[in-house]
Amino acid sequence: MANWKDPEIAGVRAILAARQPEPGAPTPGFPERRAAMDALGEKGALPVGCYHEPVTLGGVRGERVVPQGAAPGRTMLYLHGGAYTMGSPRSHRPLVARLAEAARTVAVAVDYRLGPEHRFPAAVDDALAAYRALLDGGAEPERLVVAGDSAGGGLAMALALALKRDGLPQPAGWFVMSPWADLTQSGASYASKTATDPTINKPRLDENARAYLGGLDPRDPLASPVFGDFEGVSPVLIQVGSEEALLSDSVTLADVLAHARVAVRLEVWPEMIHVFHAWGPVLQAARRAVADAGAWMDARLG
C-alpha cells in the first residue's frame, strides 16, 4: 500500500473504497451504471450564478452551461467521459461548469450516442455534427475550444482528426483530461498501475471497448486516436494523474502529437487518479488543475 503525501487524495481513495460493492454482488448492467453516474453528477453543486439549459446542435441533444463572467462570443464544446457506454451532460455538469467558469466561456456539453446500442463511429458523428452546428450558428473557430475527459478526451482527439479529414477549421485549442486514446489497451500503465488505480481497470475497459466498437477495428484512428496523423491540428493540453491505468494513453498521445509538430503540453499530476478534476470540492489539486486549464483556454480564446 502506497503512502500518499497528499492527505486529500488519501481521503478521496477512502471515499471510493467505501463505495465498492460487497463481494459477490451482481455486476450492474449499462442502464444501472448510467443511472448511478448521472445521479452523482446531479448531486454536485454549480458555481454561484451558473445556470444550464437544454440545447440541440445538428440534431444532437446537449446542455448549455453558462457561468457568471463568461466573455461574449466564446464557446467550449464539452465531450463527457464514461467509457463510451455511460455518462451524459447531467453526470458531468459540475465539472463542466467549473471548467467553463475558469475559462470564462459558455460551455455546450454534447449528449452523444452510447454503445452498445449505438456502436462506433456514432459518438464521433455526433461530436462532428455538434461542432459543425456551432460553426453554422456563427461560432468563430478562434473563439472555440473543445474539452473532454476519459472517453470524451479520446473523442475530442478523434474529432480533431475528423475536422482535418473534412477540411473544417480547427478550434483555438483542445483540452483533454485522462484521455482514453487507445482502445487496444496496450500501454504499460494498464498493468503497472493496477494496484494504484481505484476506479478503472483493463478488464472493464476491454468490456466497454467491445461494447462501443461492436466488432470493428480498435486501431481505427477515430476510435484510438494514438494511431492518427495530427499534423495541422491546433494546440493541445493534456492533464493526467500519475496513478491511473490510462497514464500511458496520455504519454503516447503527447508523443504522437509532438512528432506531428503539434504544440502539446502534457501535465502528469503526482499521486492523482483518473479524472481527479471531478473531485474539486475536496481536492486542492483538482482545483489547481482546473484553474490552470482554465487559464490555458482563456489565453487560447484571446
Side-chain angles (χ1 to χ4, degrees), residues 47-298:
V48 174
C50 181
Y51 69 90
H52 58 90
E53 60 188 6
V55 67
T56 299
L57 289 170
V60 181
R61 291 182 300 176
E63 185 171 275
R64 185 170 179 262
V65 179
V66 185
Q68 283 189 339
R74 290 183 170 189
T75 306
M76 174 199 298
L77 180 66
Y78 193 87
L79 303 170
H80 67 78
Y84 291 113
T85 62
M86 54 189 166
S88 72
R90 297 175 295 285
S91 65
H92 284 65
R93 188 179 294 148
L95 176 57
V96 173
R98 289 194 295 271
L99 285 168
E101 181 183 54
R104 299 192 305 122
T105 181
V106 168
V108 177
V110 178
D111 198 6
Y112 59 85
R113 288 171 291 170
L114 302 173
E117 297 91 337
H118 306 282
R119 74 174 185 175
F120 168 79
V124 182
D125 292 342
D126 286 355
L128 181 58
Y131 189 90
R132 284 182 180 273
L134 286 173
L135 296 183
D136 292 344
E140 300 173 347
E142 62 271 19
R143 309 212 72 197
L144 173 62
V145 292
V146 180
D149 69 283
S150 195
L155 181 56
M157 293 290 89
L159 176 60
L161 295 173
L163 296 183
K164 177 182 174 181
R165 177 198 65 193
D166 292 352
L168 291 171
Q170 290 280 317
W174 306 85
F175 168 51
V176 291
M177 296 161 277
S178 306
W180 189 21
D182 180 5
L183 271 61
T184 70
Q185 277 74 259
S186 57
S189 60
Y190 286 93
S192 66
K193 297 300 179 178
T194 298
T196 58
D197 191 327
T199 60
I200 58 175
N201 56 63
K202 188 178 185 299
R204 180 60 63 85
L205 287 173
D206 287 342
E207 174 196 5
N208 284 293
R210 288 192 296 270
Y212 175 53
L213 291 169
L216 298 177
D217 185 3
R219 294 178 64 89
D220 187 315
L222 294 184
S224 297
V226 294
F227 299 111
D229 175 7
F230 285 92
E231 187 174 0
V233 166
S234 52
V236 180
L237 170 62
I238 306 169
Q239 291 182 341
V240 64
S242 70
E243 305 309 311
E244 58 172 297
L246 291 182
L247 174 61
S248 292
D249 283 36
S250 288
V251 174
T252 302
L253 177 62
D255 184 65
V256 169
L257 289 165
H259 276 85
R261 303 179 186 87
V262 174
V264 57
R265 188 167 109 194
L266 170 64
E267 297 179 0
V268 181
W269 285 67
E271 300 192 351
M272 293 299 111
I273 62 175
H274 186 59
V275 195
F276 63 95
H277 310 72
W279 292 89
V282 296
L283 190 58
Q284 290 185 52
R287 296 194 291 274
R288 291 198 304 271
V290 167
D292 288 354
W296 184 87
M297 289 186 282
D298 188 23

Side-chain angles (χ1 to χ4, degrees), residues 1-5 9-11 13-14 17 194-198 243 271:
M1 179 69 70
N3 293 316
W4 307 110
K5 295 179 181 179
I9 197 61
R13 286 177 173 273
T194 298
T196 58
D197 191 327
E243 305 309 311
E271 300 192 351

